Amino acid sequence: MTNPAQLEKYSLYKESEIKHGRVAMLAAPGFLIAEKFHPLFGGNVDAPSILAFQQTPLQTIWPIVLLVIGAIEGYSSVSTYKDPSTAAWSIKEDHLAGDLGMFGGAKQAKSNPAGYKALATKEINNGRLAMMAIAGMVVQELVFHVKL
């Protein structure tokens, strides 16, 4: 990739893939666990995960959930993207894909580049698998209307 526009777009896609993969890696086991073990609301929720929120008062907390997600996105966007007034949807040149600045990814990449590359590859592959898994679980519950 010698074209700077292609490289910039690749950086954006890589950042997006890592973020979506991390969310999916949390969602996939959560989807299964919520169907087997639901301690909230007296444990009375006995429905497929895709429909469970409709049987609980969880609908009222969505504004709080959106605020928390917005805060996380805002925090990560400041360290990731260039100033939107000059370059919309452009990743900073010195940004390491997937590094939120909290868990030492940049430090590990500098101290052990081979180990970091192996770990990053595993994360991307597991994230891809989790994205396919959660999509399959959601589709299965929507089609058959039964718990997994």
Side-chain angles (χ1 to χ4, degrees), residues 54 89 126 130 132 138:
Q54 295 172 346
W89 297 106
N126 288 325
M132 297 306 294
V138 168

Side-chain angles (χ1 to χ4, degrees), residues 1-145:
M1 279 194 226
T2 57
N3 185 350
Q6 283 181 324
L7 186 58
E8 197 167 296
K9 194 172 267 193
Y10 172 76
S11 298
L12 179 66
Y13 290 153
K14 185 173 183 181
E15 185 73 28
S16 179
E17 181 180 26
I18 291 171
K19 187 176 282 189
H20 284 87
R22 287 175 177 169
V23 170
M25 284 188 279
L26 291 171
F31 203 81
L32 294 171
I33 291 168
E35 288 188 353
K36 303 294 180 201
F37 176 70
H38 202 295
L40 302 176
F41 314 110
N44 298 344
V45 181
D46 188 29
S49 288
I50 198 75
L51 305 172
F53 79 96
Q54 295 172 346
Q55 297 183 2
T56 66
L58 287 175
Q59 296 166 342
T60 58
I61 69 162
W62 280 112
I64 297 167
V65 170
L66 291 175
L67 277 171
V68 170
I69 291 170
I72 293 169
E73 286 291 320
Y75 174 76
S76 67
S77 294
V78 169
S79 64
T80 303
Y81 296 100
K82 294 178 185 174
D83 181 15
S85 63
T86 58
W89 297 106
S90 296
I91 304 282
K92 293 178 180 176
E93 287 85 11
D94 62 341
H95 178 72
L96 181 64
D99 184 31
L100 299 176
M102 293 186 276
F103 304 109
K107 187 173 19 172
Q108 184 184 6
K110 290 177 185 170
S111 65
N112 183 5
Y116 177 78
K117 185 174 181 176
L119 190 62
T121 301
K122 289 175 187 175
E123 181 183 26
I124 287 175
N125 288 335
N126 288 325
R128 289 173 180 164
L129 177 63
M131 285 187 273
M132 297 306 294
I134 191 67
M137 287 187 260
V138 168
V139 168
Q140 182 175 345
E141 286 200 353
L142 285 173
V143 170
F144 298 110
H145 302 289

